[in-house]
Every structure is written in C-alpha cells, then in structure tokens.
Amino acid sequence: MTNKHKHLETFVKWAYALGILICIVISIYMWLFIKNDIYETRPHDAYSIIRDYKCIEVDDPESPAGSHMETLFSINYIGQTNSCLVFYTRHQGVEVFIEDKLVYSMNSSPDNAFSKTEGNTWNYIMLTPEDSGKKIRIVYHPAYKNSNQIVDEYYFGSKLDIFKYLIMCNFFPFSLALITVFIGIFFFGFTLINYNNKHFDRSLMMMGIFSICIGAWKIADLPTTSILIPASTALAYVPYFALLLSAISFVLYIKEKFTEKNNIIWYLPCLFSIVSIFLNIILQLTNVYDMRQLLKLTHLSMFFVMVSSVIMIIREAKLYGISKKMRRTFICILLCLAGFVADVILYYNSNGIQKAVVGIISFLIYILVQGIDTIKETKKLMAIGSQAKKLEEIAYHDQLTGLYNRTAYAETIKSDTFSPDNYGIIMVDLNNLKTCNDTLGHEMGDKYIADSTKIIKDIFGEYGSCYRMGGDEFCILTNKLDRDDIRELISKVNDACDAYNKANPDIYPMDIACGYAFYDQLLDYDIGDTLRRADKFMYENKLYIKMQKGELPR
C-alpha cells in the first residue's frame, strides 16, 4: 500500500480509539459513582397536575449569572390521594419550599470534576391535601450563565400519566435516534463478522461508530431518556462525548469514497477533533472548564469536518469528474451540513431547550444512503472475491484428492516468506497404481488414490502441507517434525495400510512407500535438492516393500 500519510492515518485511528475508550470509562464512572444529592420529606404514593406559576428574578452574587430564578404558585385544592409535582431542570440545582419549609432539594455532588452541573433532571415532589392553598416556592440555582432563564412547565398529577404524556411528546425524535443507534450497531457488527474478508469494505465500521454516536447524542439529549434512565450527571455528558467522537468516524468513513483517500485535507479536521477531544477531557478532569462551556469548540470541529468534505467533493469534481455515486455523497453531506447548522442555531437561540429533529433526520438519511451503498458495493466485491477464490481453488488444488497440487507447491517454495532452513520433505508413492488401473480399470484406480489420500491426510495433515505431485506421488512439506517423529508416522501409514487391506479383502491391496529428508546446507543447494534426496529414499523403500512381498527378486 502506497500511502504517504499512512503513519498519520494510523496515529488518527489510535488516538481516536483512545478517545473513545476514555469517554466510555468516564461515562461508566459517572454512571456508577456520581449522583445528585436529593433531599425530600414526602413519600411517593399518588399523583395529579399543575402548570400556572409566577416567575421572578432574584439577585444572587454567587450565581454564574449574578441572579437566580424563583417561581411562586399555590394549588387551591389537592384531593385525598397524594399528588405529584413534576418539573424538568436543565443544568440547575433546585430547592422546593412549601410556605417556608424546605421539602425537596437537588444539587450536584461536591468535590469532583463533574460537579459543576446537575445535568438535565426530572424532579418529583409529593403533595398532600394539607398543602392545599399553601404557597409553593421553587428556587433555581443555574450551573451556567445561559441556564439561568430556563424554567420549564410544571406537571401536577398522576406520575404514571405524566410519564406517558412526556414520552409521547418525544416519541418521534426518540424513535429516530434509537433507529440510528440500531443501524450503527448493525453496521459495526456486520463489519466485525466479515472483518477477515479482504474484499469487505471495513470503513463500514466507521459508519457504524458515527451512527451510534449521532443516535446516542440525540437520545441522551432528550427529556424522555432521563425518565427512563435516571442518571442525570452521566446523561448530561453523553451528548458531548458523542459529538466529540462522531467527527473522526465521519471523516474516516467518507474519505474512502474519494479518489484522493490520503489527501492531507482529510486529516486536518481529524487532528483538530483529536485536540478537541483531549482538551475537553483534560479541562473537565482538572475542573478548569466544563464540557458544556467548550461546546462551541465541539461544534466548530463538526463544522470543520463538513466543510472539509465539501471542499474535497469540489476538488474531486474538478479533477476526476463526479459520478452518480459521488453526486449522492455530495447531496448527503450538504444535507448533514444543513441539518447540523439548523440544530446548532436552534440550540443557541433557545438555550438548549428546543430539540430539532431536522439534524437527526438528515443524518439518518445520510447513514442509510451511504450505508446501503457500501453494503451493495461490498456484496459485489465479495461475490467477485468468492468467484476468484473458487478459481484459485481449482488452480492450486487437485480435483480428485482435494490436496494442493504441484503448482501450489511451486508457489509455496518460491514465495518471499519461505525459507528452507529446518524444513523436511516426506515423499509418498502408491505402489502398483498402474497395475491397478490396467487390470481393474481407472475407476478402481481412482478409488485407490482417494482412499490412500485419506490415510496420508489423516496421518501427515496436521504436521505439514500435503501436495499431490503427480499420478501416484505425494509430498508433505513440514517444519514441525524430527526424524523420530517421521519414522513413527511412517509406521502408522504401514499399519493403516494393513488395517485397510484386512477390512477390504476384495479390493486391490494398498501399499504406500515413504521416504524423507531434511534440508541440509552442506548437501542441498535449495529445497529441490532435499526433495530429490527424499524421493531417492522413498524409491528405496518402495523396492524394499516389493521385495518383502515377493514382487521382486531379493
């Protein structure tokens, strides 16, 4: 493979793999060990709903925004069944007071690198009939300046009914994101299954990783997910990890579709993304900056990737022309760019409250179109490869015995990786095959060859490669045996022939002659000389067997 940026590509892949591993480890750590501290005095029994509230802004020097928000409302009537007040917070600590009594609080765990934010969390406060008409005050403590003005709707009622309603509200984007993850898992698994097939397009694995990252980004960012998986801190960071990791997999997949696969332009956004990944992780772990505060850098790396792809498409069109497949790729990338820009604009305009589906739809279209194209091309290549393999089988295998043929033997000893040192050759000959053919016909002669081959393969096969060199001659090329081992195996061949002849008295008797030699630098110019010495000893063994059976004079 001629690739002037091969080392750069290898570095990008290994650095990317390390980034994935670190993000997964951090996510698991947060999931297991970092929990918000929740204080509540009301048990969870029954539920109802409310949404009316008065919102005021209170000066707060300790807040990142210099102030915090408080909401005030009261519920005139609460029935005999306990009711649940449910509301969503986005990177905010919260305290709930009934009159002046604190009944609930939720804040991030102190003294860890991820304690800056409480994440996106659903809060549940149980209310009783005694709370009817009492003043309820909710105090928000924003983790970031731009999360200060965020106050979501309040739900008051049956917890189960509220959950059903909220899940249905986000059902469409959640389903799209889940489908995207499943497609990614399929691509990834499909690649692993076919990884050793040299005709398979392994870049599909990168498409799988990209698809999983995009789906995980959207899933973790939806309020529905924090209902189903109550791990607010870990979930809060999953979208950032997913976005950070998606850019490189996008590039490593898409570049394989271009003529200039190894142009430096492909690696610039990869290097930028690697810097972004490790800068985010280092600043997060050292508690200097939070990943959400570096989100613009992450968005910039994604935008850099999209723009680089567009530049390479324009370059491809100018230098090499644009094919139908490349036109589809161009449209898909532009669609992703448009969807991504739309999502980012909506995110910043709404302080992260509104969740657009344009981005996930555009990415899903891209993933499906490109993934299906890749699988189709791969199937064609695999079909061609399968046909080539069949032709290779025919070219290098003997049709009657299934063993390697003389051509395969010649290819083996001529290969650059073959060294004759320590190699041994066992030559095998089937006695009286010509007589069998002349007296009983070639059909019986073929049976003689096939049955003898089975014995040869069963005894010698695991110790070396077996070749049929001609009509009645076979060769075993081995570097796993010493002289005593070979003598023992030849003895087994003789025993197998005797057993065969006893079990088949009506069939032409089987006799197999063997000879062997080891490569010797003092005696042999090459492995061919070793073969000739082994053949000489085999011929001597052949004559000995014939004399023992009275077929030749002593």
Side-chain angles (χ1 to χ4, degrees):
M1 178 182 178
T2 57
N3 181 356
K4 62 182 179 180
H5 299 303
K6 189 175 187 298
H7 296 301
L8 184 57
E9 180 173 1
T10 302
F11 167 75
V12 167
K13 288 182 176 179
W14 278 106
Y16 181 50
L18 180 61
I20 291 176
L21 180 62
I22 292 174
C23 290
I24 291 173
V25 169
I26 291 174
S27 296
I28 293 173
Y29 168 77
M30 288 191 293
W31 206 288
L32 295 176
F33 301 109
I34 300 179
K35 309 292 182 183
N36 291 329
D37 294 330
I38 296 177
Y39 165 79
E40 56 182 331
T41 61
R42 306 300 174 95
H44 289 241
D45 292 322
Y47 314 97
S48 26
I49 187 166
I50 195 171
R51 295 179 182 175
D52 296 328
Y53 57 86
K54 179 182 178 182
C55 188
I56 58 174
E57 186 171 359
V58 179
D59 291 337
D60 183 356
E62 296 183 1
S63 170
S67 63
H68 68 254
M69 304 302 294
E70 295 186 6
T71 58
L72 299 169
F73 59 90
S74 61
I75 303 172
N76 293 328
Y77 176 74
I78 300 174
Q80 294 299 315
T81 304
N82 288 345
S83 302
C84 185
L85 178 66
V86 180
F87 61 98
Y88 194 59
T89 51
R90 304 170 190 270
H91 304 286
Q92 297 160 314
V94 68
E95 295 171 331
V96 178
F97 297 87
I98 296 182
E99 295 298 342
D100 292 323
K101 182 180 179 182
L102 178 67
V103 296
Y104 175 91
S105 69
M106 188 274 297
N107 296 286
S108 61
S109 302
D111 302 326
N112 69 75
F114 301 94
S115 63
K116 193 172 184 65
T117 177
E118 292 79 7
N120 299 331
T121 309
W122 286 100
N123 301 271
Y124 317 103
I125 298 93
M126 299 310 302
L127 301 177
T128 63
E130 290 76 16
D131 298 321
S132 298
K134 292 182 179 179
K135 180 180 69 175
I136 299 175
R137 180 166 62 99
I138 300 178
V139 180
Y140 294 87
H141 300 286
Y144 310 103
K145 185 176 181 180
N146 60 359
S147 62
N148 186 40
Q149 302 292 329
I150 301 175
V151 176
D152 275 67
E153 291 179 319
Y154 296 105
Y155 299 89
F156 173 70
S158 166
K159 189 177 183 181
L160 180 60
D161 289 341
I162 293 171
F163 280 5
K164 288 179 180 178
Y165 169 76
L166 294 171
I167 289 172
M168 290 308 299
C169 286
N170 292 279
F171 181 77
F172 182 61
F174 186 83
S175 300
L176 290 177
L178 200 60
I179 290 170
T180 306
V181 171
F182 285 149
I183 291 173
I185 293 172
F186 170 76
F187 286 163
F188 189 86
F190 190 57
T191 307
L192 284 181
I193 292 170
N194 296 280
Y195 196 81
N196 291 326
N197 189 323
K198 63 181 179 180
H199 301 288
F200 190 81
D201 186 355
R202 295 175 183 174
S203 69
L204 190 65
M205 179 178 284
M206 288 298 143
M207 169 60 83
I209 295 174
F210 174 74
S211 185
I212 292 170
C213 288
I214 293 298
W217 162 43
K218 281 297 182 182
I219 287 175
D221 210 28
L222 290 170
T224 301
T225 309
S226 56
I227 294 175
L228 302 174
I229 308 173
S232 55
T233 303
L235 277 178
Y237 285 92
V238 168
Y240 308 130
F241 287 145
L243 271 179
L244 282 169
L245 298 173
S246 62
I248 296 175
S249 55
F250 182 93
V251 173
L252 293 180
Y253 169 77
I254 202 67
K255 78 180 184 69
E256 296 299 320
K257 309 302 171 189
F258 288 73
T259 305
E260 294 185 306
K261 296 178 176 62
N262 303 304
N263 192 300
I264 190 65
I265 293 176
W266 290 120
Y267 298 102
L268 294 178
C270 288
L271 294 174
F272 185 88
S273 295
I274 288 171
V275 171
S276 180
I277 289 171
F278 288 98
L279 184 63
N280 269 268
I281 292 171
I282 291 169
L283 293 179
Q284 179 72 57
L285 293 177
T286 54
N287 215 10
V288 176
Y289 279 103
D290 192 73
M291 283 188 176
R292 193 172 190 271
Q293 294 171 299
L294 296 171
L295 188 56
K296 290 181 180 179
L297 181 64
T298 305
H299 286 156
L300 182 61
S301 68
M302 286 289 291
F303 186 75
F304 191 10
V305 165
M306 299 291 180
V307 172
S308 299
S309 301
V310 172
I311 291 172
M312 287 303 296
I313 287 179
I314 295 172
R315 179 179 174 83
E316 179 89 3
K318 286 183 177 180
L319 296 178
Y320 309 101
I322 189 161
S323 63
K324 186 177 179 180
K325 182 180 72 173
M326 189 56 64
R327 192 177 295 112
R328 281 200 303 271
T329 301
F330 187 33
I331 292 171
C332 286
I333 291 176
L334 286 180
L335 191 63
C336 288
L337 181 59
F340 177 73
V341 170
D343 265 15
V344 170
I345 291 173
L346 186 62
Y347 175 85
Y348 285 112
N349 285 343
S350 66
N351 275 338
I353 296 177
Q354 297 183 29
K355 307 297 180 187
V357 295
V358 178
I360 189 63
I361 291 174
S362 62
F363 281 121
L364 186 55
I365 292 172
Y366 162 79
I367 289 163
L368 286 172
V369 171
Q370 294 297 312
I372 291 171
D373 275 354
T374 300
I375 290 176
K376 283 182 178 178
E377 290 175 10
T378 298
K379 287 180 69 176
K380 288 180 182 178
L381 289 173
M382 290 174 71
I384 294 171
S386 177
Q387 185 64 28
K389 189 174 181 180
K390 288 179 182 177
L391 294 174
E392 184 180 354
E393 288 283 330
I394 294 172
Y396 291 105
H397 286 78
D398 176 63
Q399 293 186 28
L400 176 60
T401 64
L403 298 180
Y404 291 116
N405 58 20
R406 182 183 286 273
T407 303
Y409 173 81
E411 290 289 330
T412 299
I413 63 174
K414 288 178 183 177
S415 69
D416 295 336
T417 58
F418 180 79
S419 174
D421 295 337
N422 302 319
Y423 264 91
I425 289 183
I426 305 169
M427 290 299 295
V428 176
D429 183 89
L430 309 184
N431 290 343
N432 301 321
L433 176 62
K434 184 177 184 304
T435 304
C436 179
N437 283 327
D438 293 343
T439 58
L440 300 176
H442 285 279
E443 184 177 346
M444 185 58 70
D446 287 347
K447 178 172 175 55
Y448 185 5
I449 293 172
D451 291 348
S452 300
T453 297
K454 186 176 186 309
I455 290 175
I456 293 168
K457 192 173 181 179
D458 287 347
I459 293 175
F460 294 116
E462 65 176 293
Y463 302 104
S465 299
C466 300
Y467 303 85
R468 185 184 181 194
M469 305 297 282
D472 59 358
E473 286 191 342
F474 297 80
C475 168
I476 298 92
L477 187 62
T478 178
N479 64 351
K480 301 178 181 179
L481 302 171
D482 58 26
R483 295 180 188 278
D484 291 337
D485 293 331
I486 291 179
R487 292 192 186 102
E488 183 179 345
L489 292 177
I490 291 175
S491 177
K492 287 183 179 180
V493 170
N494 295 330
D495 292 342
C497 287
D498 291 340
Y500 177 88
N501 293 332
K502 288 179 182 178
N504 302 278
D506 299 330
I507 296 178
Y508 194 86
M510 180 188 296
D511 275 330
I512 299 177
C514 301
Y516 67 90
F518 288 92
Y519 177 80
D520 188 333
Q521 291 181 349
L522 298 178
L523 299 175
D524 302 326
Y525 175 74
D526 56 22
I527 198 71
D529 289 339
T530 312
L531 184 144
R532 282 183 282 275
R533 288 195 295 112
D535 192 58
K536 178 176 177 292
F537 293 137
M538 179 272 294
Y539 185 72
E540 291 175 359
N541 181 245
K542 183 183 184 75
L543 294 178
Y544 175 77
I545 292 173
K546 286 180 177 288
M547 285 190 293
Q548 288 291 106
K549 295 194 172 185
E551 297 174 6
L552 291 174
R554 293 180 181 272

CSV table of all heavy atoms in Angstrom, one decimal, residues 15-24 27 206 209-210 213-214 238-250 273 277 281 298 301-302:
chain,number,residue,atom,x,y,z
A,15,ALA,N,-5.4,7.4,18.2
A,15,ALA,CA,-5.8,8.5,19.1
A,15,ALA,C,-7.3,8.5,19.2
A,15,ALA,O,-7.8,8.7,20.3
A,15,ALA,CB,-5.2,9.8,18.6
A,16,TYR,N,-8.0,8.2,18.2
A,16,TYR,CA,-9.4,8.2,18.2
A,16,TYR,C,-9.9,7.1,19.1
A,16,TYR,O,-10.8,7.2,19.9
A,16,TYR,CB,-10.0,8.1,16.8
A,16,TYR,CG,-11.5,8.0,16.7
A,16,TYR,CD1,-12.3,9.0,17.3
A,16,TYR,CD2,-12.1,7.0,15.9
A,16,TYR,CE1,-13.6,8.9,17.2
A,16,TYR,CE2,-13.5,7.0,15.8
A,16,TYR,CZ,-14.3,8.0,16.5
A,16,TYR,OH,-15.6,7.9,16.3
A,17,ALA,N,-9.3,5.9,18.9
A,17,ALA,CA,-9.7,4.7,19.8
A,17,ALA,C,-9.4,5.0,21.2
A,17,ALA,O,-10.2,4.7,22.1
A,17,ALA,CB,-8.9,3.5,19.3
A,18,LEU,N,-8.3,5.7,21.5
A,18,LEU,CA,-8.0,6.1,22.9
A,18,LEU,C,-9.1,7.1,23.4
A,18,LEU,O,-9.5,6.9,24.6
A,18,LEU,CB,-6.6,6.7,23.0
A,18,LEU,CG,-6.2,7.1,24.4
A,18,LEU,CD1,-6.1,6.0,25.4
A,18,LEU,CD2,-4.8,7.8,24.3
A,19,GLY,N,-9.5,8.0,22.6
A,19,GLY,CA,-10.5,9.0,23.0
A,19,GLY,C,-11.8,8.3,23.3
A,19,GLY,O,-12.5,8.6,24.3
A,20,ILE,N,-12.2,7.3,22.4
A,20,ILE,CA,-13.4,6.5,22.7
A,20,ILE,C,-13.4,5.8,24.0
A,20,ILE,O,-14.3,5.8,24.8
A,20,ILE,CB,-13.7,5.5,21.5
A,20,ILE,CG1,-14.0,6.2,20.2
A,20,ILE,CG2,-14.8,4.5,21.9
A,20,ILE,CD1,-14.2,5.3,19.0
A,21,LEU,N,-12.2,5.2,24.2
A,21,LEU,CA,-12.1,4.4,25.5
A,21,LEU,C,-12.2,5.3,26.7
A,21,LEU,O,-12.9,4.9,27.7
A,21,LEU,CB,-10.7,3.7,25.5
A,21,LEU,CG,-10.4,2.8,26.7
A,21,LEU,CD1,-11.4,1.7,26.9
A,21,LEU,CD2,-9.0,2.3,26.6
A,22,ILE,N,-11.5,6.4,26.7
A,22,ILE,CA,-11.6,7.4,27.8
A,22,ILE,C,-13.0,7.9,28.1
A,22,ILE,O,-13.5,7.9,29.2
A,22,ILE,CB,-10.6,8.6,27.6
A,22,ILE,CG1,-9.1,8.1,27.6
A,22,ILE,CG2,-10.8,9.6,28.7
A,22,ILE,CD1,-8.1,9.1,27.2
A,23,CYS,N,-13.7,8.2,27.0
A,23,CYS,CA,-15.1,8.7,27.1
A,23,CYS,C,-16.0,7.6,27.7
A,23,CYS,O,-16.8,7.9,28.6
A,23,CYS,CB,-15.6,9.2,25.8
A,23,CYS,SG,-14.9,10.7,25.1
A,24,ILE,N,-15.8,6.4,27.3
A,24,ILE,CA,-16.6,5.3,27.8
A,24,ILE,C,-16.3,5.1,29.3
A,24,ILE,O,-17.2,4.9,30.1
A,24,ILE,CB,-16.3,4.0,27.0
A,24,ILE,CG1,-16.9,4.1,25.6
A,24,ILE,CG2,-17.0,2.8,27.7
A,24,ILE,CD1,-16.6,2.9,24.7
A,27,SER,N,-17.8,7.9,31.3
A,27,SER,CA,-19.3,7.7,31.4
A,27,SER,C,-19.7,6.6,32.4
A,27,SER,O,-20.6,6.8,33.2
A,27,SER,CB,-19.8,7.4,30.0
A,27,SER,OG,-19.6,8.4,29.1
A,206,MET,N,-16.6,2.4,10.6
A,206,MET,CA,-16.6,3.8,11.0
A,206,MET,C,-18.0,4.4,10.8
A,206,MET,O,-18.4,5.3,11.6
A,206,MET,CB,-15.5,4.6,10.1
A,206,MET,CG,-14.1,4.2,10.5
A,206,MET,SD,-13.8,4.7,12.2
A,206,MET,CE,-12.7,3.4,12.7
A,209,ILE,N,-19.8,3.4,13.9
A,209,ILE,CA,-19.5,4.2,15.1
A,209,ILE,C,-20.1,5.6,15.0
A,209,ILE,O,-20.6,6.1,15.9
A,209,ILE,CB,-17.9,4.3,15.2
A,209,ILE,CG1,-17.3,2.9,15.5
A,209,ILE,CG2,-17.5,5.3,16.3
A,209,ILE,CD1,-15.8,2.9,15.5
A,210,PHE,N,-20.0,6.2,13.8
A,210,PHE,CA,-20.7,7.5,13.6
A,210,PHE,C,-22.2,7.5,13.9
A,210,PHE,O,-22.7,8.3,14.5
A,210,PHE,CB,-20.4,8.0,12.1
A,210,PHE,CG,-21.1,9.3,11.8
A,210,PHE,CD1,-20.7,10.5,12.3
A,210,PHE,CD2,-22.3,9.2,11.0
A,210,PHE,CE1,-21.4,11.7,12.0
A,210,PHE,CE2,-22.9,10.4,10.7
A,210,PHE,CZ,-22.5,11.6,11.1
A,213,CYS,N,-22.8,7.2,17.6
A,213,CYS,CA,-22.5,8.5,18.2
A,213,CYS,C,-23.7,9.5,18.0
A,213,CYS,O,-24.1,10.1,19.0
A,213,CYS,CB,-21.2,9.1,17.7
A,213,CYS,SG,-19.7,8.2,18.3
A,214,ILE,N,-24.1,9.6,16.8
A,214,ILE,CA,-25.2,10.5,16.5
A,214,ILE,C,-26.5,10.1,17.2
A,214,ILE,O,-27.2,11.0,17.8
A,214,ILE,CB,-25.4,10.6,14.9
A,214,ILE,CG1,-24.2,11.2,14.3
A,214,ILE,CG2,-26.7,11.4,14.6
A,214,ILE,CD1,-24.0,12.7,14.7
A,238,VAL,N,-23.1,12.6,28.1
A,238,VAL,CA,-23.1,11.7,27.0
A,238,VAL,C,-23.2,12.4,25.6
A,238,VAL,O,-22.5,12.1,24.7
A,238,VAL,CB,-24.2,10.6,27.1
A,238,VAL,CG1,-24.4,9.9,25.8
A,238,VAL,CG2,-23.9,9.6,28.2
A,239,PRO,N,-24.1,13.4,25.5
A,239,PRO,CA,-24.2,14.2,24.2
A,239,PRO,C,-22.8,14.8,23.8
A,239,PRO,O,-22.5,14.8,22.6
A,239,PRO,CB,-25.2,15.2,24.5
A,239,PRO,CG,-26.1,14.7,25.6
A,239,PRO,CD,-25.1,13.9,26.4
A,240,TYR,N,-22.1,15.3,24.8
A,240,TYR,CA,-20.8,16.0,24.5
A,240,TYR,C,-19.8,14.9,24.0
A,240,TYR,O,-19.0,15.1,23.1
A,240,TYR,CB,-20.3,16.7,25.7
A,240,TYR,CG,-21.3,17.7,26.3
A,240,TYR,CD1,-21.6,17.7,27.6
A,240,TYR,CD2,-22.0,18.6,25.4
A,240,TYR,CE1,-22.6,18.6,28.1
A,240,TYR,CE2,-22.9,19.4,26.0
A,240,TYR,CZ,-23.2,19.4,27.3
A,240,TYR,OH,-24.2,20.3,27.8
A,241,PHE,N,-19.7,13.8,24.8
A,241,PHE,CA,-18.8,12.7,24.3
A,241,PHE,C,-19.2,12.2,22.9
A,241,PHE,O,-18.3,12.0,22.1
A,241,PHE,CB,-18.9,11.5,25.3
A,241,PHE,CG,-18.3,11.7,26.6
A,241,PHE,CD1,-18.9,11.2,27.8
A,241,PHE,CD2,-17.1,12.5,26.8
A,241,PHE,CE1,-18.3,11.4,29.0
A,241,PHE,CE2,-16.5,12.7,28.0
A,241,PHE,CZ,-17.1,12.1,29.1
A,242,ALA,N,-20.5,12.0,22.7
A,242,ALA,CA,-20.9,11.5,21.4
A,242,ALA,C,-20.6,12.5,20.2
A,242,ALA,O,-20.1,12.0,19.2
A,242,ALA,CB,-22.4,11.3,21.4
A,243,LEU,N,-20.8,13.8,20.5
A,243,LEU,CA,-20.5,14.7,19.4
A,243,LEU,C,-18.9,14.8,19.2
A,243,LEU,O,-18.5,14.9,18.1
A,243,LEU,CB,-21.0,16.1,19.8
A,243,LEU,CG,-22.4,16.5,19.4
A,243,LEU,CD1,-22.7,17.9,19.9
A,243,LEU,CD2,-22.5,16.5,17.9
A,244,LEU,N,-18.2,14.7,20.3
A,244,LEU,CA,-16.7,14.8,20.1
A,244,LEU,C,-16.2,13.6,19.3
A,244,LEU,O,-15.3,13.7,18.5
A,244,LEU,CB,-16.1,14.7,21.5
A,244,LEU,CG,-16.1,16.0,22.3
A,244,LEU,CD1,-15.6,15.7,23.8
A,244,LEU,CD2,-15.1,17.0,21.7
A,245,LEU,N,-16.8,12.4,19.5
A,245,LEU,CA,-16.3,11.2,18.9
A,245,LEU,C,-16.9,11.0,17.5
A,245,LEU,O,-16.4,10.1,16.7
A,245,LEU,CB,-16.7,10.0,19.8
A,245,LEU,CG,-16.1,10.0,21.2
A,245,LEU,CD1,-16.6,8.8,22.0
A,245,LEU,CD2,-14.5,9.9,21.1
A,246,SER,N,-17.9,11.7,17.1
A,246,SER,CA,-18.6,11.5,15.8
A,246,SER,C,-17.8,12.0,14.6
A,246,SER,O,-17.8,11.5,13.5
A,246,SER,CB,-20.0,12.1,15.8
A,246,SER,OG,-19.9,13.5,16.0
A,247,ALA,N,-17.0,13.1,14.9
A,247,ALA,CA,-16.4,13.8,13.7
A,247,ALA,C,-15.4,12.9,13.0
A,247,ALA,O,-15.3,12.8,11.8
A,247,ALA,CB,-15.7,15.1,14.2
A,248,ILE,N,-14.5,12.3,13.8
A,248,ILE,CA,-13.4,11.5,13.2
A,248,ILE,C,-14.0,10.3,12.5
A,248,ILE,O,-13.5,9.9,11.4
A,248,ILE,CB,-12.4,11.0,14.3
A,248,ILE,CG1,-11.7,12.3,14.9
A,248,ILE,CG2,-11.4,10.1,13.7
A,248,ILE,CD1,-10.8,12.0,16.1
A,249,SER,N,-15.0,9.6,13.0
A,249,SER,CA,-15.5,8.4,12.4
A,249,SER,C,-16.2,8.9,11.0
A,249,SER,O,-16.1,8.1,10.1
A,249,SER,CB,-16.5,7.7,13.3
A,249,SER,OG,-17.5,8.6,13.7
A,250,PHE,N,-16.8,10.0,11.0
A,250,PHE,CA,-17.4,10.6,9.8
A,250,PHE,C,-16.3,10.7,8.7
A,250,PHE,O,-16.5,10.3,7.6
A,250,PHE,CB,-18.0,11.9,10.1
A,250,PHE,CG,-18.7,12.5,8.9
A,250,PHE,CD1,-20.1,12.3,8.7
A,250,PHE,CD2,-18.0,13.3,8.0
A,250,PHE,CE1,-20.7,12.9,7.6
A,250,PHE,CE2,-18.7,13.9,6.9
A,250,PHE,CZ,-20.0,13.7,6.7
A,273,SER,N,-10.1,17.5,15.7
A,273,SER,CA,-11.0,16.8,16.6
A,273,SER,C,-10.3,16.1,17.7
A,273,SER,O,-10.8,16.1,18.9
A,273,SER,CB,-11.9,15.8,15.8
A,273,SER,OG,-12.7,16.5,14.9
A,277,ILE,N,-11.0,16.6,21.6
A,277,ILE,CA,-11.4,15.5,22.5
A,277,ILE,C,-10.6,15.6,23.7
A,277,ILE,O,-11.1,15.6,24.9
A,277,ILE,CB,-11.2,14.2,21.8
A,277,ILE,CG1,-12.3,14.0,20.7
A,277,ILE,CG2,-11.3,13.0,22.8
A,277,ILE,CD1,-12.0,12.7,19.8
A,281,ILE,N,-11.5,16.7,27.7
A,281,ILE,CA,-11.3,15.7,28.8
A,281,ILE,C,-10.4,16.3,29.9
A,281,ILE,O,-10.6,16.2,31.1
A,281,ILE,CB,-10.8,14.4,28.2
A,281,ILE,CG1,-11.9,13.7,27.4
A,281,ILE,CG2,-10.4,13.4,29.4
A,281,ILE,CD1,-11.4,12.5,26.6
A,298,THR,N,-16.5,22.1,20.2
A,298,THR,CA,-17.0,20.8,19.6
A,298,THR,C,-17.8,21.0,18.3
A,298,THR,O,-17.7,20.3,17.3
A,298,THR,CB,-17.9,20.1,20.7
A,298,THR,OG1,-17.1,19.9,21.9
A,298,THR,CG2,-18.3,18.7,20.1
A,301,SER,N,-15.5,21.8,15.5
A,301,SER,CA,-14.9,20.6,14.9
A,301,SER,C,-15.8,19.9,14.0
A,301,SER,O,-15.4,19.4,12.9
A,301,SER,CB,-14.3,19.7,16.0
A,301,SER,OG,-15.4,19.1,16.7
A,302,MET,N,-17.1,19.8,14.3
A,302,MET,CA,-18.1,19.2,13.4
A,302,MET,C,-18.2,20.0,12.1
A,302,MET,O,-18.3,19.5,11.0
A,302,MET,CB,-19.4,19.1,14.2
A,302,MET,CG,-19.5,18.0,15.2
A,302,MET,SD,-19.5,16.3,14.6
A,302,MET,CE,-21.1,16.3,13.8
